[in-house]
């Protein structure tokens, strides 16, 4: 460790940990020193030529704001340590996907076209999406939100009993500048679910100049995709529960178009660069390593 660098936060000035279902960041108290420009108040006073006093936000408040943005992104707890840098690569498509993720971060907000990570379970699609929004919030200061489509659906159902309108619950997901929808296509796929998805995607679609959508999905654009097929078939035999088996078989049989319908699919194709990924199932791979 370099001399003078805080060992608790490795000199980053903040700590990331999981709290309940989500990932949280907070300022590292061990190395935190009150800003010498504003004395920690966050406000700098200056006088104009005519003698008026002006109050301005001190630049140190930007750091706190970024931590707040990170906490508002609702990153699931199990991804608290996921970053683009520590992404495990076992296949060239994963390498390309990571490169594209970093390129996206670097060119945002000048380029707002989103990304769609497609491919079998366990190859790091969600990891990359999380890595992206961690950088966008902490390093660049943009508003992002992560959501599992299931979570939106259950919030809406809960909202019904509290007489909250569907529109009000959907609103934050419609308006946030960068939205990650995880596991698109998973679910029962009934008319009601399709309608909710349509409301979110269509409203973001009309605003593509402002809004970026990042998708992860286990479905691909071709059924029996060459990349996912052998792996997924192998996975199916290893799965214990029939529920999981049915889901994996479904991924093989159906395409993303089948799952979300032509209208949503064609919009997503306009909104996102599609990235098909293959590789070892990271979770199983890890498991195997543990056995050795
Ligand atoms: Zn520290
Ligand atoms: Zn300050």
């Amino acid at each position: 460790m370099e001399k003078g660098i805080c060992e608790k936060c490795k000199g980053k000035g903040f700590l990331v940990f999981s709290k309940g279902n989500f990932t949280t960041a907070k300022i590292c108290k061990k190395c935190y020193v009150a800003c010498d420009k504003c004395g920690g108040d966050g406000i700098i006073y200056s006088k104009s030529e005519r003698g008026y006093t002006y109050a301005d936000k001190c630049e140190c408040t930007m750091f706190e704001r970024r931590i707040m943005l990170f906490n508002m992104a609702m990153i699931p707890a199990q991804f608290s340590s996921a970053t683009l840098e520590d992404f495990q690569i076992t296949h060239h498509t994963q390498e390309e996907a990571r490169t594209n993720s970093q390129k996206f971060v670097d060119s945002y907000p000048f380029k707002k076209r989103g990304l769609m990570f497609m491919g079998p379970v366990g190859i790091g699609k969600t990891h990359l999406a999380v890595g992206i929004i961690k950088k966008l919030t902490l390093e660049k200061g943009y508003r992002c939100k992560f959501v599992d489509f299931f979570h939106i659906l259950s919030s809406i159902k809960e909202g019904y009993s509290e007489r909250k309108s569907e529109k009000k619950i959907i609103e934050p997901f419609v308006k946030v500048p960068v939205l990650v929808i995880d596991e698109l296509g998973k679910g029962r796929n009934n008319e009601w679910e399709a309608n909710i998805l349509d409301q979110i995607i269509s409203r973001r679609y009309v605003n593509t100049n402002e809004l970026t959508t990042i998708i992860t999905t286990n479905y691909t654009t071709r059924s029996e995709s060459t990349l996912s097929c052998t792996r997924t078939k192998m996975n199916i035999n290893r799965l214990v529960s029939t529920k999981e088996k049915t889901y994996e078989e479904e991924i093989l049989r159906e395409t993303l178009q089948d799952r979300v319908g032509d209208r949503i699919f064609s919009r997503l194709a306009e909104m996102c660069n599609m990235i098909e990924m293959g590789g070892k199932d990271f979770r199983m791979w890890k498991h195997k390593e543990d056995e050795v």
Side-chain angles (χ1 to χ4, degrees):
M1 193 68 54
E2 255 179 78
K3 211 181 161 198
I5 288 181
C6 170
E7 57 195 46
K8 202 170 177 196
C9 66
K10 313 272 189 294
K12 291 193 300 258
F14 59 88
L15 301 163
V16 175
F17 53 97
S18 53
K19 189 180 175 187
N21 294 327
F22 300 104
T23 300
T24 310
K26 66 173 186 187
I27 288 173
C28 175
K29 282 195 177 136
K30 196 171 179 201
C31 63
Y32 180 78
V33 274
C35 169
D36 55 5
K37 279 187 187 158
C38 65
D41 296 340
I43 300 166
I44 288 182
Y45 298 97
S46 54
K47 264 203 168 100
S48 74
E49 281 174 20
R50 301 170 93 184
Y52 295 113
T53 303
Y54 289 94
D56 273 313
K57 265 189 190 165
C58 177
E59 53 191 43
C60 71
T61 58
M62 206 146 83
F63 180 59
E64 286 169 31
R65 189 182 125 79
R66 288 178 179 192
I67 288 186
M68 187 188 76
L69 288 171
F70 180 91
N71 292 338
M72 283 164 64
M74 294 165 77
I75 295 164
Q78 66 265 40
F79 291 96
S80 62
S81 59
T83 61
L84 292 187
E85 285 78 13
D86 76 350
F87 183 60
Q88 305 269 357
I89 292 166
T90 63
H91 193 271
H92 70 95
T93 52
Q94 287 172 311
E95 174 97 62
E96 285 154 24
R98 186 179 64 179
T99 306
N100 281 313
S101 302
Q102 186 59 54
K103 274 188 188 157
F104 170 80
V105 171
D106 294 340
S107 57
Y108 188 84
F110 305 105
K111 288 183 184 164
K112 291 204 176 74
R113 190 176 159 86
L115 299 169
M116 172 144 50
F117 298 107
M118 299 183 289
V121 178
I123 52 160
K125 304 182 296 291
T126 308
H127 183 125
L128 290 176
V130 166
I132 289 172
I133 59 171
K134 278 187 177 174
K135 280 182 181 276
L136 289 184
T137 50
L138 283 173
E139 293 174 18
K140 301 188 86 168
Y142 291 102
R143 217 147 50 79
C144 303
K145 221 175 235 328
F146 180 101
V147 77
D148 180 323
F149 186 57
F150 260 21
H151 176 80
I152 303 183
L153 296 175
S154 55
S155 313
I156 293 170
K157 280 179 197 158
E158 275 169 34
Y160 286 148
S161 58
E162 293 162 26
R163 294 175 177 257
K164 268 192 213 154
S165 77
E166 205 171 274
K167 202 174 165 234
K168 207 173 172 186
I169 294 164
I170 292 175
E171 212 59 17
F173 307 109
V174 169
K175 287 191 170 162
V176 69
V178 180
L179 176 71
V180 172
I181 304 179
D182 196 35
E183 300 241 44
L184 183 75
K186 198 175 178 177
R188 279 169 307 163
N189 209 21
N190 58 26
E191 208 176 307
W192 177 73
E193 290 184 4
N195 175 270
I196 304 287
L197 182 64
D198 189 72
Q199 285 186 54
I200 298 170
I201 299 300
S202 302
R203 288 180 63 195
R204 294 185 69 81
Y205 174 76
V206 294
N207 235 333
T208 35
N209 292 336
E210 296 301 319
L211 307 177
T212 299
T213 309
I214 296 171
I215 306 275
T216 81
T217 178
N218 295 321
Y219 293 90
T220 60
T221 51
R222 293 162 283 138
S223 60
E224 299 281 326
S225 154
T226 43
L227 272 178
S228 50
C229 157
T230 28
R231 283 221 36 74
T232 313
K233 267 183 184 155
M234 209 171 76
N235 287 356
I236 290 171
N237 299 327
R238 299 175 77 164
L239 292 170
V240 193
S241 83
T242 39
K243 202 178 162 191
E244 276 183 315
K245 273 188 185 170
T246 323
Y247 176 46
E248 295 273 338
E249 275 163 0
E250 214 171 69
I251 295 168
L252 274 184
R253 225 179 23 245
E254 289 186 275
T255 62
L256 187 62
Q257 293 96 309
D258 294 335
R259 292 302 289 178
V260 299
D262 289 338
R263 180 180 136 103
I264 293 178
F265 179 78
S266 73
R267 293 193 160 172
L268 289 174
E270 275 186 59
M271 293 158 77
C272 306
N273 290 330
M274 297 200 177
I275 300 173
E276 194 169 333
M277 291 163 68
K280 282 186 187 171
D281 181 332
F282 177 64
R283 283 168 285 190
M284 283 187 188
W285 182 41
K286 187 100 179 121
H287 189 68
K288 251 192 150 177
E289 271 184 353
D290 294 343
E291 282 170 7
V292 176

